[in-house]
Short mmCIF file of all heavy atoms in Angstrom, two decimals:
data_model
loop_
_atom_site.label_atom_id
_atom_site.label_comp_id
_atom_site.label_asym_id
_atom_site.label_seq_id
_atom_site.Cartn_x
_atom_site.Cartn_y
_atom_site.Cartn_z
N GLY L 400 39.32 -24.03 -17.93
CA GLY L 400 38.59 -25.11 -18.59
C GLY L 400 38.28 -26.21 -17.58
O GLY L 400 39.15 -26.62 -16.83
N ILE L 401 37.03 -26.62 -17.55
CA ILE L 401 36.64 -27.71 -16.64
C ILE L 401 36.07 -28.84 -17.49
O ILE L 401 35.12 -28.64 -18.24
CB ILE L 401 35.58 -27.23 -15.64
CG1 ILE L 401 36.13 -26.06 -14.83
CG2 ILE L 401 35.15 -28.37 -14.73
CD1 ILE L 401 35.07 -25.29 -14.09
N SER L 402 36.67 -30.00 -17.41
CA SER L 402 36.18 -31.13 -18.20
C SER L 402 35.68 -32.22 -17.28
O SER L 402 36.34 -32.57 -16.31
CB SER L 402 37.28 -31.73 -19.07
OG SER L 402 38.21 -30.76 -19.46
N ALA L 403 34.50 -32.75 -17.64
CA ALA L 403 33.93 -33.85 -16.88
C ALA L 403 33.41 -34.90 -17.85
O ALA L 403 33.40 -34.66 -19.07
CB ALA L 403 32.81 -33.35 -15.98
N GLY L 404 32.93 -36.01 -17.34
CA GLY L 404 32.36 -37.06 -18.19
C GLY L 404 33.36 -37.53 -19.24
O GLY L 404 34.52 -37.80 -18.94
N ASP L 430 44.22 -22.49 -17.10
CA ASP L 430 44.13 -23.55 -16.10
C ASP L 430 43.07 -24.56 -16.50
O ASP L 430 41.97 -24.19 -16.92
CB ASP L 430 43.78 -22.96 -14.73
CG ASP L 430 44.84 -21.99 -14.24
OD1 ASP L 430 46.03 -22.25 -14.51
OD2 ASP L 430 44.49 -20.97 -13.63
N SER L 431 43.40 -25.81 -16.38
CA SER L 431 42.44 -26.86 -16.70
C SER L 431 42.17 -27.69 -15.47
O SER L 431 43.07 -27.97 -14.69
CB SER L 431 42.99 -27.80 -17.77
OG SER L 431 43.40 -27.05 -18.88
N MET L 432 40.91 -28.06 -15.30
CA MET L 432 40.55 -28.93 -14.19
C MET L 432 39.84 -30.16 -14.75
O MET L 432 38.91 -30.04 -15.54
CB MET L 432 39.64 -28.18 -13.23
CG MET L 432 39.28 -28.98 -12.00
SD MET L 432 38.27 -28.02 -10.85
CE MET L 432 39.52 -27.47 -9.71
N LEU L 433 40.31 -31.32 -14.34
CA LEU L 433 39.72 -32.56 -14.81
C LEU L 433 38.86 -33.16 -13.71
O LEU L 433 39.26 -33.19 -12.56
CB LEU L 433 40.83 -33.56 -15.18
CG LEU L 433 41.80 -33.10 -16.26
CD1 LEU L 433 42.97 -34.05 -16.37
CD2 LEU L 433 41.08 -33.00 -17.60
N MET L 434 37.67 -33.63 -14.11
CA MET L 434 36.78 -34.18 -13.10
C MET L 434 36.49 -35.66 -13.31
O MET L 434 35.72 -36.25 -12.59
CB MET L 434 35.47 -33.40 -13.06
CG MET L 434 35.74 -31.93 -12.96
SD MET L 434 34.64 -30.88 -12.04
CE MET L 434 33.87 -31.88 -10.89
N SER L 435 37.08 -36.26 -14.34
CA SER L 435 36.91 -37.71 -14.52
C SER L 435 38.15 -38.25 -15.21
O SER L 435 39.04 -37.50 -15.60
CB SER L 435 35.67 -37.99 -15.37
OG SER L 435 35.97 -37.85 -16.74
N ASP L 436 38.18 -39.56 -15.36
CA ASP L 436 39.34 -40.17 -16.01
C ASP L 436 39.16 -40.29 -17.52
O ASP L 436 40.07 -40.65 -18.23
CB ASP L 436 39.58 -41.58 -15.44
CG ASP L 436 39.88 -41.52 -13.96
OD1 ASP L 436 40.50 -40.51 -13.54
OD2 ASP L 436 39.50 -42.46 -13.23
N LYS L 437 37.94 -39.97 -17.99
CA LYS L 437 37.66 -40.20 -19.40
C LYS L 437 37.59 -38.90 -20.21
O LYS L 437 37.32 -38.91 -21.39
CB LYS L 437 36.35 -40.96 -19.56
CG LYS L 437 36.42 -42.35 -18.97
CD LYS L 437 35.15 -43.13 -19.25
CE LYS L 437 35.19 -44.50 -18.63
NZ LYS L 437 34.91 -44.49 -17.18
N CYS L 438 37.79 -37.76 -19.54
CA CYS L 438 37.67 -36.49 -20.26
C CYS L 438 39.06 -36.01 -20.71
O CYS L 438 40.07 -36.58 -20.33
CB CYS L 438 37.02 -35.45 -19.36
SG CYS L 438 37.93 -35.15 -17.85
N GLY L 439 39.04 -34.98 -21.53
CA GLY L 439 40.30 -34.47 -22.03
C GLY L 439 40.42 -32.96 -21.87
O GLY L 439 39.42 -32.25 -21.96
N ALA L 440 41.62 -32.48 -21.60
CA ALA L 440 41.87 -31.03 -21.57
C ALA L 440 43.11 -30.78 -22.42
O ALA L 440 44.10 -31.49 -22.30
CB ALA L 440 42.11 -30.57 -20.14
N THR L 460 48.28 -24.55 -16.02
CA THR L 460 48.25 -25.60 -15.02
C THR L 460 47.13 -26.60 -15.35
O THR L 460 46.17 -26.25 -16.01
CB THR L 460 47.93 -25.07 -13.61
OG1 THR L 460 46.59 -24.55 -13.59
CG2 THR L 460 48.89 -23.98 -13.16
N THR L 461 47.32 -27.81 -14.92
CA THR L 461 46.24 -28.79 -15.01
C THR L 461 46.09 -29.43 -13.65
O THR L 461 47.08 -29.80 -13.02
CB THR L 461 46.57 -29.89 -16.04
OG1 THR L 461 46.79 -29.26 -17.30
CG2 THR L 461 45.44 -30.88 -16.18
N SER L 462 44.86 -29.49 -13.16
CA SER L 462 44.67 -30.12 -11.86
C SER L 462 43.48 -31.06 -11.91
O SER L 462 42.69 -31.02 -12.85
CB SER L 462 44.44 -29.06 -10.78
OG SER L 462 43.36 -28.22 -11.15
N LYS L 463 43.36 -31.88 -10.93
CA LYS L 463 42.24 -32.80 -10.87
C LYS L 463 41.54 -32.53 -9.55
O LYS L 463 42.19 -32.27 -8.55
CB LYS L 463 42.79 -34.24 -10.90
CG LYS L 463 41.75 -35.26 -11.26
CD LYS L 463 42.39 -36.57 -11.68
CE LYS L 463 41.33 -37.51 -12.21
NZ LYS L 463 40.35 -37.95 -11.24
N VAL L 464 40.22 -32.54 -9.58
CA VAL L 464 39.51 -32.41 -8.31
C VAL L 464 39.84 -33.65 -7.52
O VAL L 464 39.55 -34.76 -7.93
CB VAL L 464 37.99 -32.32 -8.51
CG1 VAL L 464 37.28 -32.36 -7.17
CG2 VAL L 464 37.64 -31.03 -9.22
N GLY L 465 40.51 -33.46 -6.40
CA GLY L 465 41.05 -34.61 -5.70
C GLY L 465 40.12 -35.15 -4.63
O GLY L 465 39.36 -34.41 -4.02
N ALA L 466 40.22 -36.45 -4.40
CA ALA L 466 39.46 -37.07 -3.33
C ALA L 466 39.86 -36.44 -2.00
O ALA L 466 39.05 -36.30 -1.09
CB ALA L 466 39.72 -38.58 -3.30
N ASP L 467 41.14 -36.02 -1.91
CA ASP L 467 41.60 -35.43 -0.65
C ASP L 467 40.94 -34.07 -0.39
O ASP L 467 40.58 -33.73 0.73
CB ASP L 467 43.13 -35.31 -0.61
CG ASP L 467 43.69 -34.53 -1.79
OD1 ASP L 467 42.98 -34.37 -2.80
OD2 ASP L 467 44.85 -34.07 -1.71
N GLN L 468 40.73 -33.28 -1.49
CA GLN L 468 40.04 -31.99 -1.34
C GLN L 468 38.60 -32.22 -0.89
O GLN L 468 38.08 -31.53 -0.02
CB GLN L 468 40.02 -31.23 -2.66
CG GLN L 468 41.30 -30.48 -2.97
CD GLN L 468 41.21 -29.76 -4.30
OE1 GLN L 468 40.68 -30.31 -5.27
NE2 GLN L 468 41.71 -28.54 -4.36
N ILE L 469 37.95 -33.19 -1.53
CA ILE L 469 36.55 -33.44 -1.22
C ILE L 469 36.42 -33.94 0.23
O ILE L 469 35.57 -33.48 0.99
CB ILE L 469 35.93 -34.44 -2.22
CG1 ILE L 469 35.85 -33.76 -3.59
CG2 ILE L 469 34.54 -34.90 -1.78
CD1 ILE L 469 35.45 -34.68 -4.72
N ILE L 483 32.16 -30.02 -4.23
CA ILE L 483 32.60 -29.88 -5.62
C ILE L 483 32.28 -28.47 -6.13
O ILE L 483 33.12 -27.82 -6.76
CB ILE L 483 31.96 -30.95 -6.52
CG1 ILE L 483 32.53 -32.32 -6.14
CG2 ILE L 483 32.20 -30.67 -7.99
CD1 ILE L 483 31.74 -33.47 -6.71
N ILE L 486 34.81 -26.08 -4.76
CA ILE L 486 36.13 -26.22 -5.39
C ILE L 486 36.10 -25.60 -6.80
O ILE L 486 36.99 -24.84 -7.19
CB ILE L 486 36.55 -27.70 -5.46
CG1 ILE L 486 36.77 -28.24 -4.04
CG2 ILE L 486 37.81 -27.87 -6.29
CD1 ILE L 486 36.80 -29.75 -3.93
N VAL L 487 35.04 -25.91 -7.55
CA VAL L 487 34.95 -25.43 -8.93
C VAL L 487 34.76 -23.90 -8.95
O VAL L 487 35.40 -23.21 -9.73
CB VAL L 487 33.80 -26.15 -9.68
CG1 VAL L 487 33.53 -25.48 -11.01
CG2 VAL L 487 34.16 -27.60 -9.90
N PHE L 490 37.98 -22.28 -8.33
CA PHE L 490 38.83 -22.40 -9.52
C PHE L 490 38.48 -21.30 -10.54
O PHE L 490 39.35 -20.77 -11.23
CB PHE L 490 38.60 -23.79 -10.12
CG PHE L 490 39.32 -24.08 -11.41
CD1 PHE L 490 40.69 -24.28 -11.42
CD2 PHE L 490 38.62 -24.17 -12.60
CE1 PHE L 490 41.35 -24.56 -12.60
CE2 PHE L 490 39.27 -24.45 -13.79
CZ PHE L 490 40.63 -24.65 -13.78
N SER L 517 28.96 -35.44 -11.76
CA SER L 517 30.13 -35.73 -12.59
C SER L 517 31.28 -36.32 -11.80
O SER L 517 32.21 -36.86 -12.36
CB SER L 517 30.58 -34.47 -13.32
OG SER L 517 30.80 -33.44 -12.40
N VAL L 518 31.24 -36.20 -10.50
CA VAL L 518 32.24 -36.87 -9.67
C VAL L 518 31.48 -37.78 -8.73
O VAL L 518 30.46 -37.39 -8.19
CB VAL L 518 33.04 -35.86 -8.83
CG1 VAL L 518 33.84 -36.58 -7.76
CG2 VAL L 518 33.97 -35.06 -9.71
N GLY L 519 31.92 -38.99 -8.58
CA GLY L 519 31.19 -39.83 -7.64
C GLY L 519 31.83 -41.17 -7.48
O GLY L 519 32.79 -41.47 -8.08
N VAL N 89 44.68 -29.48 3.14
CA VAL N 89 44.54 -29.41 1.69
C VAL N 89 44.32 -27.96 1.25
O VAL N 89 43.68 -27.18 1.95
CB VAL N 89 43.34 -30.29 1.26
CG1 VAL N 89 43.06 -30.17 -0.21
CG2 VAL N 89 43.59 -31.73 1.64
N GLU N 90 44.84 -27.60 0.08
CA GLU N 90 44.64 -26.25 -0.45
C GLU N 90 43.38 -26.20 -1.30
O GLU N 90 43.12 -27.11 -2.08
CB GLU N 90 45.83 -25.84 -1.33
CG GLU N 90 47.13 -25.78 -0.55
CD GLU N 90 48.30 -25.31 -1.39
OE1 GLU N 90 48.10 -24.97 -2.58
OE2 GLU N 90 49.42 -25.28 -0.84
N ILE N 91 42.59 -25.14 -1.14
CA ILE N 91 41.42 -24.94 -2.00
C ILE N 91 41.56 -23.57 -2.67
O ILE N 91 41.09 -22.56 -2.13
CB ILE N 91 40.09 -24.97 -1.21
CG1 ILE N 91 40.07 -26.07 -0.15
CG2 ILE N 91 38.90 -25.07 -2.17
CD1 ILE N 91 39.72 -27.45 -0.64
N PRO N 92 42.18 -23.49 -3.84
CA PRO N 92 42.42 -22.20 -4.48
C PRO N 92 41.12 -21.46 -4.79
O PRO N 92 40.14 -22.08 -5.20
CB PRO N 92 43.16 -22.56 -5.77
CG PRO N 92 43.66 -23.95 -5.57
CD PRO N 92 42.72 -24.61 -4.62
#
Side-chain angles (χ1 to χ4, degrees):
Chain L
I401 301 164
S402 329
D430 299 324
S431 306
M432 183 177 262
L433 301 171
M434 310 214 25
S435 82
D436 298 327
K437 296 185 182 78
C438 60
T460 66
T461 301
S462 55
K463 198 163 188 294
V464 173
D467 56 342
Q468 279 180 318
I469 292 171
I483 292 166
I486 294 163
V487 169
F490 176 73
S517 54
V518 167
Chain N
V89 175
E90 298 183 3
I91 318 278

